[in-house]
Amino acid sequence: MMVDKRHAFSGVREIRLQGIQKHFGPISALAGVDLTLKAGEVQALLGENGAGKSTLMKILFGLYRPDAGAIYFDHQPAKINSSADAMQLGLGFVQQHFSLVEGLTVAENIVLGKLPSRFYEPRSLQQQVQNFINTNGFALDAAAPVRELSVGERQRVEIIKALYRQANFIIFDEPTSVLAPLEVETLFATIRQLQANGKGIIFITHKLDEVLQISNRITILRGGKNVATLETSAATAENLARLMIGEIAPPIAAVNHANKSKSAVVLQVANLQVRHERRHVTVHDISFELHAGEILGVAGVDGSGQRELAETIMGLRAPNAGTIVWNFHRDKAQSRLHRQRIGFVPPDRLTDAFVPEFSVAENLLLESSDNAQFRRAGFLAAAKVKRHAEKLIEDFNVVCKGPQQKLRELSGGNQQKLLLGRALGANPTALVAMNPTWGVDVAATAAIHQRLFDLRQRGGAVLLFSTDLDEIYALCDRFLVLHAGRVMGWATAATSTTQVGLWMTGRMSATTD
Amino acid sequence: MRRPTEILRQMALWFLPAMLAFVSASGFGALLVSGFGYSPLLVFSTLWEGAFGDAYRFSETLLKTVPLVFTGLAVALSFRTGIWNIGAEGQFLAGALIVTVFGVKAANLFAPIFFLLTTIDIFLSGALLGILAGWLREKHGVSEVISTIMLNMIVLQFLGYAVHGPLQEAARTYPQSDRLAEVARLSQLWPGTRLHSGVIIAVLLAIVLWLVLFRLPFGFRLRVIGQNPHAARFAGINVSRHIIAAFALSGGLAAIGGAIEVAGVTGRLYENISPGYGFTGIAVAMLGRLHPLGLLPAAFLFGALESGARALQRNLGLSSVLAEVIQGMTILFVVLFETRWFRELLNKRLNVK
Amino acid sequence: MMEIFTSLLTSGISLATPLLLAALGEIIIEKSGIINIALEGMMLVAAFFAMYVALISGSPILGLVAGVFSALLSAAIFALFCVGAQADQIITGAGLNIFALGLTGVLLRRIFGLTGATITAPTFTILPVPFLQKLPIIGPALFTQNALVYLALLLIPITWLLLTRTRLGLHLRAVGENPAAVDAAGLPVQRLRFAAVLIGGSYCGLAGAYLSIAQANTFIEGMTAGRGFIALAIVIFAGWRPFAAAAVALLFGVASALQFQFQAFGLKVPYQFFLMLPYILTIVVAAFFRHRIQAPAAMAKSYFREG
């Protein structure tokens, strides 16, 4: 590491990341990405979920170590091993999850780790920080406890924290995803102000409007690779959407887009509203019907309200308004009996779905421990449980040592196949699946997709939530696009990816701009 | 079918950390007594003599084992469900109190009715204390660590009030109750010793709890909640209801232990009826790796330690609380051996070789 | 009547002092996100070694030093387990309590023979403060006490200043709320928690020493008799605030003084209900006022960096 970093790098004009590579296990998150950041510009980093935006920024900020590649500050190589190093080099990072201490005041949060003397007097500290806040043109009460601040105000605290640490470059990771519309305006004003003061801004997002509104340069990533870097003045919403999403490969199996509206309605959702605790992202007034024999998709980026919608439909979250009616069972969705009829694939297998320390067989029992199929005289019948597990392992081609192996020892793909097997094992009438192929290799993905087709073929209904548009296009008979908790539009595989991309990023149509 | 050697190997691996912890703790005890100028060999042989020297001493060891089995089971059940129930002590005392109330004041009831009522009320006393803590946790967000510690102290004070007041013996000499009526006493098991039928109840309940936890769907769900409450909720399990049920069962088990101690051993109630059985139960449960059957030998080991320590005091003038030193150290070593830090250290060592 | 009140207050303050000291120490520890239920054990160890050293050296001051040092040592063990190795705080605490009870019992019998009851250790004597002791009512109660009481009184504002006016205090409070944020700010999370446990442990040392060489003048097996748990209750009741802790400790102290008064007057009031009160109130406060009192958000959770 360089000596005296502060002096060596103060007033840095340019940061260059070159050939950055990063693997998580077998999955490549970044396959040699380049990026140049300049002082006094707002550069948007655009890409779908999993494109590698956040990973790249975490590497720049020292939170991840790259497998290959180099970072240059004004042509001098820099080693960033921790966030402390990054801050020393004049970097600030406003993450989606703020790192603020709720019980402390704004002033205390801002100076945390930077207090020069052993003792301090709260009032004079507050005054001092208040002056700093005012001179930087922010409106914020330094004496207020962070606990009482709104989300927008908290974000401002994070920005001021970065400035207090003399950051020259500030990374914003999807800063608008947690904000209400008015707060977005305030944030943009702040960003323009920072830019005018010569700061370099990196703005991670997948909202096209914002990109066009705030940035002067745009870098687009897809699948961990550079797709393009262009001046904002040369960009249009259409070409950005196309660059971001790319060409969707034709569906792996011939999807029969027959008109399904004649077959029975399995699930009816009407005027559903869900509020997430303390976040602005909610589900607004959603209505749809799921029919037997169809795969209905819900597309959207992370944080678009997919998770809240899925949890509400499964009865794990109470709706604020609206109704959810499963036509075969009017009972509350909580009951275990119900779970036999509706398979569920939650988004995160290790935290939502499984007990990693338990055996494969036990994990398959999680939803159906009361099922008579596994009992003898009230007790769990080990032989029946084992036979069931063996059959599932075989049916779903799960590679493992047997029913007794601990679940956490299985690969991600095999865990996911097992999860799908569990959800489909009882021959459900319907399946609600969230990102069923997340973090899974190609072969397992194909196997899982085949299962969903099979269920549809048997007349089952599938509600597929996915952030992966390829998957949505490949599987769904029709799908709705969710953005900020609202249905932006309905689409089929025939709908252009540009249109869908615009919807996903918050644009109603391609006509304006 | 797995081969017997394989099963033995698995069992050995499973017990290894616990045995290592106990050996380490004993080693520390040996160090301590040799610091006092005693030969550790002499101390351990005296311990052994005191615990297993003859039939009577062996029976005394069993006697000391019984309450530890109950509090150990109570702790194991709650820890398995992800509940930090520190309240076994108070629940134990509650059971002791209830059996005394019935044994002293209601012994003239028709015997079957007496047994039924007494048993139900004993269980309820501990269960209600547990349910209270569970309700406070689930509905009011009060950590059960705090509430159960507070409830321990409340029950302790209430028991003090009872033996100074309404339950005090007719003679009014000591702060203790009258002797329980004969109908309320547990039968002697082994003539010439104090061993009572409670030891059979203890083993039976350990087997029952094993069946519940590892063979019943209900117990399976409790273990799921203990490992991953979030996944349990996503799997459609009513987590709150199961947690409160576990609190109730755990409290009830400890209460039965307290009742058996009075009905089987002391015959009457007084303030120091429990020398911290509830807390030692944590050590027993940890040493038994939270397994109902695994903690039987653990409780037996600690029971032997207790009765052997009596001999240390009699013969060598060492305090019998040496047993507590080893018990406390055992807990510390068990938690240490289960930390991620220790496991990583071990892995590194094993990989280097 | 006035005299009764003054004597009640005098003994109330005297009984409240060890509770206050332990509670102040626990506030510092819990503020850093560690729950230490081994107060009882730490106090017991300190009580024993304070008595022992005071006895062989003849100096209560040396006894006090030994008491604090021994509590520091047990706090260091606790910190090594819970902060260093990230062992479970509850179980470690319970284990330390049992261990301390055993160790002090064994040492007592080994060093002082069979009974041990006849030990009389040199003690901190009553040290009236000139002029102030003449104040009506509170003068005698507050200012005819021993030096440790005055020290405890001083530690109330000192603890408050430590937590709210120093850099270390700011860092401790932050680490108890959001250790990840503290880590992100480049501060050493584990070292801060270690420091909190040691500082809090030394307070427990004072509390334990007070029991043996300022109050009872001897050591009795298990003499803490649940005071560590009362201190835990005080911390919650007081909402982790030093001055409030002083008030609550005084309340509890006077409540138990009242019990002795009742007994002295031969009143047949079931005083156990008085002694029960602190615990009942604590549960009520924790259950129904938890929105007003804020527990440190990261309490009892070990911190390790992800990834």
Side-chain angles (χ1 to χ4, degrees), chain A residues 230-394:
Chain A
L230 65 165
E231 296 294 317
T232 307
S233 52
T236 64
E238 288 81 14
N239 70 9
L240 288 181
R242 203 173 304 119
L243 288 167
M244 181 173 136
I245 288 158
E247 296 306 319
I248 302 275
I252 48 166
V255 181
N256 176 18
H257 296 293
N259 185 3
K260 299 286 169 189
S261 57
K262 272 170 275 162
S263 58
V265 175
V266 174
L267 166 69
Q268 200 167 14
V269 172
N271 307 104
L272 195 67
Q273 254 192 50
V274 186
R275 198 164 291 139
H276 190 291
E277 43 299 325
R278 91 177 309 162
R279 276 181 62 190
H280 293 280
V281 180
T282 50
V283 172
H284 299 283
D285 195 27
I286 287 184
S287 303
F288 64 86
E289 285 177 347
L290 173 67
H291 297 266
E294 78 164 341
I295 300 179
L296 173 63
V298 179
V301 295
D302 260 345
S304 62
Q306 283 178 319
R307 189 179 175 119
E308 287 77 6
L309 180 58
E311 287 181 14
T312 312
I313 287 172
M314 289 311 296
L316 298 166
R317 193 180 269 284
N320 296 83
T323 52
I324 300 163
V325 180
W326 294 94
N327 77 345
F328 48 85
H329 203 292
R330 283 185 165 269
D331 204 17
K332 276 192 191 147
Q334 275 278 13
S335 81
R336 277 191 297 276
L337 181 73
H338 193 81
R339 201 47 76 77
Q340 306 298 309
R341 306 291 300 277
I342 311 161
F344 183 37
V345 178
D348 186 336
R349 54 184 168 262
L350 287 183
T351 59
D352 296 338
F354 286 138
V355 180
E357 294 302 310
F358 277 15
S359 71
V360 167
E362 284 180 309
N363 271 291
L364 290 174
L365 198 63
L366 227 58
E367 293 174 326
S368 48
S369 54
D370 261 347
N371 197 328
Q373 177 192 352
F374 302 119
R375 282 186 302 176
R376 200 177 45 225
F379 289 91
L380 286 171
K384 292 182 184 177
V385 172
K386 185 166 166 245
R387 218 173 307 130
H388 173 74
E390 278 166 350
K391 186 169 179 305
L392 243 156
I393 287 168
E394 198 184 310

Side-chain angles (χ1 to χ4, degrees), chain A residues 5 61 207-208 288 305 312 319 425 438 449 455 467 471 502 510:
Chain A
K5 284 166 288 190
F61 203 65
K207 295 179 184 168
L208 295 182
F288 64 86
T312 312
W438 172 75
H449 285 174
L455 178 63
T467 51
E471 182 164 80
L502 287 168

Side-chain angles (χ1 to χ4, degrees), chain B residues 36 140 146 313 319 332 340, chain C residues 81 109-110 236 290 304:
Chain B
F36 291 165
H140 291 281
I146 297 301
Q313 187 156 331
S319 170
L332 293 178
R340 162 209 281 259
Chain C
F81 271 72
R109 182 170 269 257
R110 177 60 197 149
I236 297 164
R290 80 187 149 110
F304 47 88

